[in-house]
Amino acid sequence: MASPRVTEALQSARGNPTTGYKDLLANIQTLSAGPENLASDLESVLDDILNANLGVVTTRAVVLDFIASLRSLENPDLVIRVGGHAVRAISDAPALSSSLIDQTSSLRDMIATSHEHNEDFLSAARTLSEIPVDTSQRRLADDEKAAIWVRIVRYYLEVDDSTSAETYLNKLKNIMHSVADAELNLHFKLSAARIQDSNRQFLQAARSYHDISFFPVIDEDERLHTLSMAIKCAILAPAGPMRSRALARLYKDERSVGLEEHGILEKMFLDRVIDQSEVEKFARGLAPHQLAKTSDGSTVLARAVGEHNLLSAGRLYHNIGFDELGVLLGVSAEKAEDTTAKMIEQGRLKASMDQIDRIIYFEAGEASGEKGSGHAEVVVGKEMRRWDANVQAATEDVERVADLLQAEFPDFVAAHLTVA
């Protein structure tokens, strides 16, 4: 129910709708009975406009005045309530809804911005997703679509819904080649990096973050923050040749020296063992999803550091027992054995295992990273292979003596030859 003065102004506006509604909206705060009645007064004005049978052209113009007035009030809660009412009212008017698509899209954009102001990012994403971008009545250019979808991706990422964010990122991938706006391209690349990070694709995320850290369109502090994210992701990535290359690229970046993560980055790059106190300090700067537990109950960070320390052990020892390796890695002997076996199988560690004597023998050289390439042909160490070579040489000598006897004393050999 509208305030008395607003009701009176509405009666006057109907006589001259082109300017009457505009003047009413310009003075709505004065005419309303107070802030507590402003929302219901605006809703009454919108309902009156839609029911006045003004014709499509006039209705569009008046609704635009209504939107401009609502925006000028700069009240997020008011925009959410009144804007939501306006969208529903227009949608419930079949004769007008198809003619006011641009107006309802503007209202949804305002509502989403207001939800963002209130940090209700999920509602903001859902509101923006209702904006039509490619229908028979409304077709947007690629840069306009990108502006909407980038915002949706960012909103979903704020609530850690990487699945929904990736859905809209995939849409963006089909159009970003034709979008020239530098800021939109930056947000697209940054969103892609954040999704890779959320999905634990840490090597790809590290590369993406590092590339973004060179973008001149962002300020120095943001570039350093992005570089820091690249280092974190590289450290969390599975140990192996690919991570080693990522660490080398980041370590050689002169800007990394001034970052808090440089200490652990340096130790990983130089294949030094990382102790638990350094791990705990590094963990304090990680996001919740980077500390999530894996299927075996360990965290992503614990797994990454454990695999790194296993590679470091290979630089320090020729061989090591399962129990001793477990102590070094801070895990059980069984867990140390399992981690080693997986890294060998995946080609991330050159070593062999003697499961009878419970010893790991490290091989010289760098792993290739190709699945299966870390396996030794014989599951023994250097000493055992030397023993095998000696046994083979002895059997060859015996065979050679047997051949000589056969040639020199065939009767003797025939008399003493037994068949097994």
Side-chain angles (χ1 to χ4, degrees), residues 20 110 251:
M110 287 172 54
Y251 182 74

Side-chain angles (χ1 to χ4, degrees), residues 50 56 59-60 63 86-105 107-108 132 135 137-138:
L50 297 179
V56 173
T59 301
R60 284 176 180 167
V63 171
V87 169
R88 290 189 296 272
I90 294 172
S91 300
D92 291 339
L96 291 173
S97 58
S98 61
S99 303
L100 297 176
I101 292 179
D102 288 338
Q103 287 72 22
T104 54
S105 297
L107 284 165
R108 287 189 171 103
T135 65
Q137 293 91 0
R138 188 171 192 259

Side-chain angles (χ1 to χ4, degrees), residues 312-389:
S312 299
R315 302 287 190 270
L316 296 173
Y317 304 101
H318 291 298
N319 57 72
I320 188 170
F322 291 173
D323 295 316
E324 291 78 7
L325 181 60
V327 172
L328 179 64
L329 302 184
V331 296
S332 65
E334 291 73 18
K335 177 65 175 176
E337 177 186 0
D338 184 60
T339 300
T340 304
K342 286 181 179 178
M343 291 185 67
I344 294 173
E345 172 64 25
Q346 294 167 0
R348 296 187 286 129
L349 172 68
K350 292 192 72 174
S352 57
M353 298 169 60
D354 186 337
Q355 292 179 305
I356 296 176
D357 291 335
R358 296 172 57 78
I359 296 176
I360 298 166
Y361 296 94
F362 296 106
E363 305 289 335
E366 296 292 333
S368 67
E370 297 179 6
K371 188 173 182 179
S373 63
H375 276 298
E377 292 182 3
V378 183
V379 192
V380 290
K382 295 178 181 177
E383 294 82 359
M384 293 298 293
R385 288 199 299 277
R386 189 178 301 114
W387 174 266
D388 284 350

Side-chain angles (χ1 to χ4, degrees), residues 189-190 192-212 226 229-234 237 250 289-290:
K189 292 180 182 295
L190 185 57
R194 290 179 64 184
I195 289 174
Q196 291 166 346
D197 187 354
S198 296
N199 292 341
R200 299 182 187 175
Q201 297 171 324
F202 292 119
L203 277 176
Q204 297 93 317
R207 189 181 306 111
S208 298
Y209 279 131
H210 196 204
D211 291 341
I212 294 169
T226 310
M229 292 299 297
I231 294 174
K232 290 175 181 177
C233 288
L250 291 164
H289 73 272
Q290 295 174 327

Side-chain angles (χ1 to χ4, degrees), residues 36 50 52 67 73 99 106 126 162 187 200 213 245 355 402:
E36 66 278 3
L50 297 179
I67 294 171
L73 295 174
S99 303
S106 295
R126 288 173 176 170
S162 60
H187 284 303
R200 299 182 187 175
S213 73
R245 287 192 286 271
Q355 292 179 305

